[in-house]
Amino acid sequence: MTYQLAIQNAESAPEGSRETLRQVGQTYGFVPNLLGGLANSPAALHAYLALAEQFAKTTLSAAEQQVVSLSVSAENRCGYCVAAHSVLARKALTPAQIAALRDGSSLGDSRLDALAAFTRAVVAQRAWLQNGELAAFEQAGFSRSQALDVLVGVTQKTLSNYSNHLIDTPVDTAFEAARWTPAVRRSA
């Protein structure tokens, strides 16, 4: 079932979203469909952007942030965000690592594998972690405070993933080459 909401632009969006969409368009040369969809609710648009700003300020490296973003998006089966982050991650991860995150296999780096496993566990288990999952995260060199940094990324991506599911957001041309479809569709 599709719940398509309009993909807004700086002229059609509610007043509280217009200036933000103008700024995004000027900065990136286009307004990603995710942001155009979120613009239907100025609160949703600004919450997502505020979370993105805070996630960028965490102690996780750019590569680690992309591991979190791709792990959450794949676990939540969000084709739009997996495609977008597959393109964005090219600055921080190798093509093989991106492919591994898309299919849930090993990245060939024990620290990043631990981060991906921890992130997927947080999403799948709603952070009710099983014995040893936090310990494995720490044994890979992450601190307990970084577990909270991961939660910031999980929160940001969950907002975008669920919004994309609701909106049925079309993949932007900029991300089309990285289109992704989950192997198994979850029933509602």
Side-chain angles (χ1 to χ4, degrees), residues 2-3 5 29 55 64 129 167 183 186:
T2 300
Y3 299 98
L5 292 172
F55 188 46
E64 292 164 346
L129 300 177
I167 297 166
R186 293 189 178 176

Side-chain angles (χ1 to χ4, degrees), residues 172-184:
D172 297 282
T173 302
F175 310 132
E176 182 62 41
R179 182 175 286 276
W180 179 81
T181 303
V184 177

Side-chain angles (χ1 to χ4, degrees), residues 26-57:
Q26 290 172 352
T27 300
Y28 298 105
F30 76 108
V31 174
N33 288 334
L34 165 63
L35 299 182
L38 287 171
N40 285 287
S41 165
L45 175 63
H46 295 120
Y48 175 79
L49 293 172
L51 284 165
E53 180 181 347
Q54 293 307 307
F55 188 46
K57 293 178 181 179

Side-chain angles (χ1 to χ4, degrees), residues 25-151:
Q26 290 172 352
T27 300
Y28 298 105
F30 76 108
V31 174
N33 288 334
L34 165 63
L35 299 182
L38 287 171
N40 285 287
S41 165
L45 175 63
H46 295 120
Y48 175 79
L49 293 172
L51 284 165
E53 180 181 347
Q54 293 307 307
F55 188 46
K57 293 178 181 179
T58 66
T59 61
L60 299 173
S61 71
E64 292 164 346
Q65 289 175 20
Q66 288 301 328
V67 167
V68 170
S69 294
L70 275 163
S71 296
V72 173
S73 297
E75 185 68 25
N76 282 330
R77 301 188 179 326
C78 181
Y80 181 93
C81 284
V82 170
H85 283 283
S86 293
V87 171
L88 298 173
R90 292 175 184 164
K91 295 177 183 175
L93 298 171
T94 68
Q97 289 171 323
I98 294 167
L101 288 163
R102 289 167 60 105
D103 68 21
S105 61
S106 174
L107 286 85
D109 177 300
S110 60
R111 182 175 165 88
L112 294 180
D113 281 332
L115 176 59
F118 178 78
T119 302
R120 288 190 302 267
V122 166
V123 173
Q125 298 164 190
R126 311 299 188 265
W128 294 105
L129 300 177
Q130 303 299 311
N131 292 335
E133 289 172 325
L134 181 57
F137 178 72
E138 290 179 299
Q139 288 169 358
F142 294 99
S143 68
R144 287 201 174 198
S145 64
Q146 286 178 306
L148 295 173
D149 288 347
V150 170
L151 287 181

